[in-house]
Amino acid sequence: MYKKFITNTLLSASVLIQTMSFVQAKEKPVIMDIAPKYSPNGDLIVYYSYRGKTLPDIFISKADGTEERRLTVNTNLWDIEPTWSADGQYVYYRSGINMKSLNMYKISAKGGTPKQQTFAPKGKGIDGYSVDSKDQRIVYSINSSSGSADLMLTPIDANNKAQPQTVFSSQNKAKHIRSPKWHPKLDLIVFTSDRNERKDDDLFLYNLKTKSLKQLTDVKGDVMMPDWSSKGDFVLFASPLGGKKPDIFRVNIDGSAIENLTKNSNAMQHFADTSSDDSKLLFESGNWKDGFKIFSMDINGKNLKQLTKRL
């Protein structure tokens, strides 16, 4: 039963946003602070937030959650899943009029006019993206109704005439590829996909140089929303792993030593990130009724702090 729930509501940020739209009918606004990311020097965090009847926008605050400011104000667009450029001067994010039209954009961290970076075919919005450590290349995923799922590569600041390169295609072996994330130092891409016998989502690692694919997890329950630790020694992901609600887990780059980091059965945890030295964990936690807030804690589970508050 939970597998069906997760498959329908939590497999990607796009589906998560669609699920959150039910709060628009509530009289009391519910705040959803989602997908936090530390800036390169660790003094700021960026995230997107869904507040009552408004569509989600991108926000930046200090690392302790104070001095929040709105980076995007788009009343007719979904602005989701932000991340930083390597130098911290820009923020990348996905945006579109609906979940089938999302593309990646780049905006100055100080604000201004965003520049579109990916140009997916109409009706085939990107289902996750990542930028390499030198801010030169974007990898993103596109899923088709025919059942094929592809990883695409395009340069930063290319225009809509640039031809993206298909670097990996699942063909008919998977219905989707989600949340591709570039290793902070190597040409390795981690992503989630249902290309296994159970058709749950597991973690897969693709090597751009050797063109080899490796399955990292083989677990009960869907694996969601992966990201590399800052040093690239392990992968963070969310999953119920047979439980009732998703927690944050880590797994080594070779697929060994899966460890539960949050261990919180009273809330749902997603979208984890680590500080530059991998000593602190940043993540969202909450539920559909009361909303989601951003928390930080030591990687060993100590010093849990709530960073964002209900307005």
Side-chain angles (χ1 to χ4, degrees), residues 133-186:
S133 60
K134 296 180 180 180
D135 285 323
Q136 294 179 345
R137 299 170 294 173
I138 309 163
V139 64
Y140 60 97
S141 57
I142 288 187
N143 304 318
S144 74
S145 57
S146 64
S148 66
D150 300 326
L151 282 180
M152 312 295 294
L153 196 66
T154 191
I156 287 287
D157 291 331
N159 55 42
N160 60 0
K161 296 181 181 179
Q163 185 65 37
Q165 175 189 1
T166 301
V167 293
F168 173 75
S169 179
S170 70
Q171 297 178 346
N172 295 321
K173 294 184 179 180
K175 289 184 178 179
H176 57 256
I177 290 174
R178 292 190 170 103
S179 304
K181 298 297 179 182
W182 213 306
H183 190 278
K185 300 176 182 178
L186 306 172

Side-chain angles (χ1 to χ4, degrees), residues 34-274:
I34 308 290
K37 297 286 289 184
Y38 281 116
S39 62
N41 63 10
D43 63 337
L44 301 172
I45 58 175
V46 66
Y47 48 95
Y48 70 94
S49 187
Y50 181 98
R51 300 182 175 183
K53 296 181 180 181
T54 63
L55 295 180
D57 278 308
I58 308 300
F59 289 78
I60 291 177
S61 74
K62 285 190 173 182
D64 61 2
T66 62
E67 298 186 23
E68 180 188 77
R69 61 185 173 90
R70 203 185 208 110
L71 185 61
T72 67
V73 182
N74 290 316
T75 57
N76 298 316
L77 297 174
W78 303 81
D79 293 343
I80 65 173
E81 280 192 72
T83 192
W84 298 91
S85 63
D87 60 8
Q89 299 300 306
Y90 295 92
V91 170
Y92 302 107
Y93 64 100
R94 290 198 294 159
S95 181
I97 59 173
N98 56 49
M99 295 302 105
K100 292 183 179 181
S101 66
L102 292 173
N103 272 289
M104 177 188 151
Y105 289 77
K106 174 183 177 182
I107 188 173
S108 169
K110 296 179 180 180
T113 303
K115 181 177 180 179
Q116 187 170 345
Q117 300 292 313
T118 63
F119 299 86
K122 187 176 181 180
K124 293 184 180 180
I126 67 171
D127 203 352
Y129 74 93
S130 186
V131 181
D132 69 9
S133 60
K134 296 180 180 180
D135 285 323
Q136 294 179 345
R137 299 170 294 173
I138 309 163
V139 64
Y140 60 97
S141 57
I142 288 187
N143 304 318
S144 74
S145 57
S146 64
S148 66
D150 300 326
L151 282 180
M152 312 295 294
L153 196 66
T154 191
I156 287 287
D157 291 331
N159 55 42
N160 60 0
K161 296 181 181 179
Q163 185 65 37
Q165 175 189 1
T166 301
V167 293
F168 173 75
S169 179
S170 70
Q171 297 178 346
N172 295 321
K173 294 184 179 180
K175 289 184 178 179
H176 57 256
I177 290 174
R178 292 190 170 103
S179 304
K181 298 297 179 182
W182 213 306
H183 190 278
K185 300 176 182 178
L186 306 172
D187 275 345
L188 300 176
I189 307 295
V190 70
F191 60 85
T192 63
S193 181
D194 60 344
R195 49 179 299 124
N196 53 43
E197 293 183 359
R198 297 186 324 275
K199 294 303 178 183
D200 287 342
D201 271 32
D202 270 307
L203 282 180
F204 292 84
L205 186 65
Y206 184 70
N207 189 315
L208 285 171
K209 289 188 175 180
T210 65
K211 303 186 185 305
S212 60
L213 183 70
K214 178 182 179 180
Q215 185 170 340
L216 288 187
T217 62
D218 186 7
V219 297
K220 182 180 180 181
D222 289 300
V223 171
M224 305 167 285
M225 305 159 192
D227 207 348
W228 293 99
S229 64
S230 293
K231 294 183 178 180
D233 295 332
F234 56 90
V235 178
L236 299 162
F237 64 91
S239 178
L241 248 63
K244 293 183 178 180
K245 296 179 180 179
D247 269 313
I248 303 301
F249 292 81
R250 59 178 283 178
V251 61
N252 290 337
I253 193 171
D254 62 358
S256 66
I258 294 177
E259 180 184 356
N260 187 339
L261 298 179
T262 52
K263 302 176 183 178
N264 187 347
S265 60
N266 295 321
M268 295 184 285
Q269 280 72 229
H270 313 108
F271 290 110
D273 187 34
T274 58

